[in-house]
Amino acid sequence: MELKVLMNHIYELHKGVRHMVLFTCNKKYSEQAIQRLESQGIPYLLQPAGQQNLNVYFGRRECLEAIRLIVTRPLNQLTPEEDFILGTMLGYDLCAQCERYCKRKGQCEGKCQGKCEDCINRN
């Protein structure tokens, strides 16, 4: 199943739906994932994700260079700003990223509920 998800991500990358992907897999699949990316000439970056998993970032080279500078420690240790940049680069919903950022900064106080206007128009 994990490799089917990888193949879908690669398809979306080739179609231009995404410029960068974060694929998390069990380390036992890492060799196959890396082999697939290399066979298609797709640049990638690896990061351990706990004992059993591996984060595989892949996509446009310029995106990966930015990731190399931003993601220098485990994802749960990123600052709210780094987390926001990463989520935005990965193409996650912008309003959801804004809400997540406000919550991590302690500014939302439960008002957002997925609506950017609530964060922007808040007194």
Side-chain angles (χ1 to χ4, degrees):
M1 180 63 173
E2 289 189 46
L3 294 178
K4 284 185 179 184
V5 172
L6 174 66
M7 295 307 298
N8 186 63
H9 286 320
I10 291 172
Y11 173 81
E12 290 179 346
L13 184 72
H14 285 312
K15 291 294 182 182
V17 175
R18 300 174 182 265
H19 297 292
M20 191 180 73
V21 175
L22 168 56
F23 172 67
T24 303
C25 67
N26 189 293
K27 289 179 180 176
K28 67 183 176 182
Y29 299 113
S30 63
E31 220 174 280
Q32 292 168 292
I34 291 165
Q35 186 178 32
R36 179 63 62 150
L37 293 170
E38 287 180 349
S39 73
Q40 296 195 28
I42 300 172
Y44 63 91
L45 178 65
L46 305 174
Q47 179 190 50
Q51 299 280 332
Q52 305 279 330
N53 295 321
L54 183 68
N55 284 335
V56 182
Y57 298 89
F58 63 92
R60 302 276 304 261
R61 215 171 282 287
E62 58 268 39
C63 295
L64 292 174
E65 289 306 317
I67 290 300
R68 205 179 308 274
L69 297 171
I70 296 167
V71 184
T72 58
R73 57 195 170 282
L75 296 180
N76 64 347
Q77 294 176 14
L78 295 180
T79 66
E81 291 77 13
E82 292 165 333
D83 180 81
F84 179 82
I85 292 167
L86 177 61
T88 304
M89 289 178 68
L90 289 167
Y92 298 166
D93 178 81
L94 181 58
C95 289
Q97 285 304 115
C98 290
E99 181 180 355
R100 179 179 167 89
Y101 175 73
C102 290
K103 282 181 181 176
R104 291 194 67 198
K105 293 294 278 189
Q107 299 298 312
C108 256
E109 301 167 1
K111 297 178 188 175
C112 292
Q113 299 174 10
K115 300 174 187 166
C116 286
E117 300 86 359
D118 289 344
C119 285
I120 293 168
N121 295 325
R122 172 177 84 242
N123 291 330

